[in-house]
Amino acid sequence: MSANPLPPALPYSQLNLTRNPFGELSTDERIRVACLRSEEMMDFLKQPKSCLQFLGEKGRGKTTHLLFLRRKLKAGSYVHYEEHEKTTVPDDTILILDEFQRLGRTKRRQAYRKANTLLLGTHQDYSHEIQRAGFKVKTIHVPIRLTATWLCEIAQKRIEEFRRNDGRIPHLRIQEAEALLSDYGSNLRSIFSHLYDCIQHLQTPDAFLLVPQNLPESTR
């Protein structure tokens, strides 16, 4: 009589993880693993008629900043504007508006009239227009310049979020972070995509061995 077969291993158990940390995250997960320097931003928002404008290309972290600060503020109406969809501006004194460049001039003026505090994610700089509407404006270009040390901190926070048990887990070494920044600059979306592939090919919870660029793309 043959011995009972061993039960199948749980996904990513060989890495002491519950999932691949660099795949798509829920909104709550993104906020929990965000590694942002927010103290100065929160102090600025204490002023009346203040506007934080996060300016940058797609995938650079504008949405993460907005969602993180919304959690910190414990207030405010958040809207992510989709392309070619009808847009409305909520009735609230704290407005957190993502993809602000998709609002026409009339809707933008509505936002300025309704809000006492504005947090904007945008591809276009509206600072002069916002100042004319009576706001103090602080523009933050994202991504804020990444260092290898900060990238290691960002990666490790994600990995820790999906730890399975005590014991070793993968980690990103400083020289590997430097290589990623050399290849991708501060494009975190591309860096996370690369690290996703690293995790998919890693067999033990040791330091990352950065996967070659010519590996086939993993299914996400």
Side-chain angles (χ1 to χ4, degrees), residues 24-25 54 58 90 102 117 157 162 191 209 211:
E24 288 297 321
L25 303 184
F54 294 97
K58 185 177 180 180
R102 291 176 178 161
T117 301
K157 195 165 184 181
F162 301 104
I191 290 172
L209 299 175
V211 297

Side-chain angles (χ1 to χ4, degrees), residues 75-158:
S77 296
Y78 172 82
V79 183
H80 183 283
Y81 293 108
E82 301 294 338
E83 201 166 7
H84 307 307
E85 286 189 0
K86 184 177 180 180
T87 57
T88 59
V89 177
D91 291 317
D92 204 336
T93 57
I94 300 176
L95 293 179
I96 306 163
L97 307 179
D98 207 350
E99 303 293 349
F100 188 65
Q101 78 282 350
R102 291 176 178 161
L103 289 181
R105 180 174 295 181
T106 300
K107 297 292 184 181
R108 295 199 305 271
R109 286 175 175 171
Q110 285 182 18
Y112 305 148
R113 287 197 303 269
K114 290 179 178 183
N116 184 60
T117 301
L118 277 171
L119 291 86
L120 308 175
T122 177
H123 294 204
Q124 186 173 335
D125 187 352
Y126 291 100
S127 55
H128 294 305
E129 180 179 287
I130 297 166
Q131 286 170 341
R132 287 197 301 270
F135 285 82
K136 305 176 190 71
V137 183
K138 184 178 183 66
T139 298
I140 298 174
H141 294 266
V142 290
I144 298 167
R145 185 172 178 81
L146 282 174
T147 64
T149 301
W150 195 2
L151 179 55
C152 287
E153 185 181 343
I154 291 168
Q156 207 58 38
K157 195 165 184 181
R158 276 199 172 219

Side-chain angles (χ1 to χ4, degrees), residues 5 27 67 121 152 193 200 205:
T27 297
L67 293 173
C152 287
S193 176
Q200 292 299 94

